[in-house]
Structures are given as C-alpha cells and as structure tokens.
Amino acid sequence: MEHLDEFDHRLLSLLRSDSRRTGKQLSEKVGLSPAACLRRVQRLREIGAIEKEVAIISPEVAGASVTLLVMLVLTRGQPEKAAQLRRDLLKLPQVQKIYHVTGNADLVLTMQCASMEAYSNFTEAHFYSDEIKGFDTIVVLRSYDPEPE
C-alpha cells in the first residue's frame, strides 16, 4: 500500500461516514481544493485504500427489522466443507457479512431477519448441519453510527 498522509486519512475518515460527499464538502473539512480532494479520493480507490462503496439499505425497507450477530463454531478438520458453507451462507439474503475470527467461535455472521420467528426458521434450515458444531446469537437492540464530521 502506498504511503497515506494526514490529508488521505482525513478524507478516509470523512468518507467512512458518508461516501457521497462532494469535492466541495470534502475540501471544506480537509483544507484542500475540491479538485485535489477528488483526485486523492480516486487515488485511494485505485490503490485499494477504499475497497468498495455500498448503499446501506434501511432494514424497514428491506423487510428485516431484527439485526443479529451469530457466532458459529465449525467442526474441525473439514476446511473444504467450511469454505463451501461460507459460500452458501453468503448467498442468503439474510446474511450481510461473515468474519473469520479468533476466540471461541470460528465465524461471526451479521444478519438481518424480518422477525425472531424468521430467524428461528433460518437456524433450523441452515445451522443444524455436520459442518456446524454450535452457534450463539446476539440480538442487536440498537445501533449507533459515527456522527458525520
């Protein structure tokens, strides 16, 4: 990764909370011209400092009002089955992201479901398999995002 200076880090911080900021809006916060800010943002994309930009869909619009964090413990000694499980889970609309983690769990899934009953049905359909040794669920009561600068 190329060297990132203080301006680059400030731009990344601003874009993290709102990637649709204009060059003018960025320049007011960073102290560079709008054109210089946009050139830097383009460079940040090209060098991979910005991996991707996504739209975060309102859970109400998506019909998914319950957000969950699910820790999966996988059966050991089956790396090819674990890889297939990850691919299969990522195809499901309820699964937003999967993290491979350290600690007691092997994977952490972020999920959105329409209801707890829908989540219960999901677990019965997808979590009772030979590849999954066990799972634990955290239900998100409220989420907080960083305030835009």
Side-chain angles (χ1 to χ4, degrees):
M1 176 93 35
E2 290 184 33
H3 172 74
L4 301 181
D5 64 18
E6 183 179 333
F7 291 113
D8 294 326
H9 286 288
R10 292 217 8 110
L11 287 167
L12 289 170
S13 177
L14 292 166
L15 294 170
R16 182 177 294 120
S17 63
D18 182 0
S19 67
R20 293 181 53 170
R21 293 177 194 255
T22 65
K24 183 177 186 297
Q25 291 169 323
L26 292 170
S27 74
E28 291 169 357
K29 300 284 187 181
V30 174
L32 297 173
S33 72
C37 287
L38 292 177
R39 279 193 304 274
R40 281 175 175 264
V41 170
Q42 183 59 38
R43 182 179 139 271
L44 291 168
R45 288 182 183 116
E46 290 169 359
I47 67 170
I50 298 173
E51 291 183 6
K52 65 181 174 178
E53 297 171 64
V54 300
I56 299 173
I57 309 300
S58 163
E60 292 81 21
V61 170
S65 59
V66 180
T67 301
L68 309 117
L69 305 175
V70 183
M71 284 80 47
L72 295 181
V73 177
L74 304 181
T75 304
R76 300 284 181 224
Q78 302 179 13
E80 65 288 335
K81 288 186 177 182
Q84 185 60 50
L85 175 69
R86 284 191 305 272
R87 287 190 295 273
D88 292 345
L89 288 171
L90 283 169
K91 292 177 185 173
L92 301 171
Q94 299 89 339
V95 177
Q96 305 299 302
K97 190 160 191 151
I98 297 178
Y99 298 94
H100 184 204
V101 298
T102 62
N104 294 332
D106 297 300
L107 302 176
V108 174
L109 286 62
T110 57
M111 295 182 57
Q112 289 187 328
C113 292
S115 65
M116 287 305 296
E117 183 177 355
Y119 176 64
S120 177
N121 293 336
F122 182 95
T123 64
E124 290 172 9
H126 301 287
F127 291 165
Y128 294 97
S129 67
D130 292 337
E131 296 82 22
I132 299 175
K133 187 175 178 181
F135 66 96
D136 197 12
T137 305
I138 296 173
V139 178
V140 175
L141 299 176
R142 189 175 292 130
S143 67
Y144 303 93
D145 294 318
E147 292 292 324
E149 291 186 34

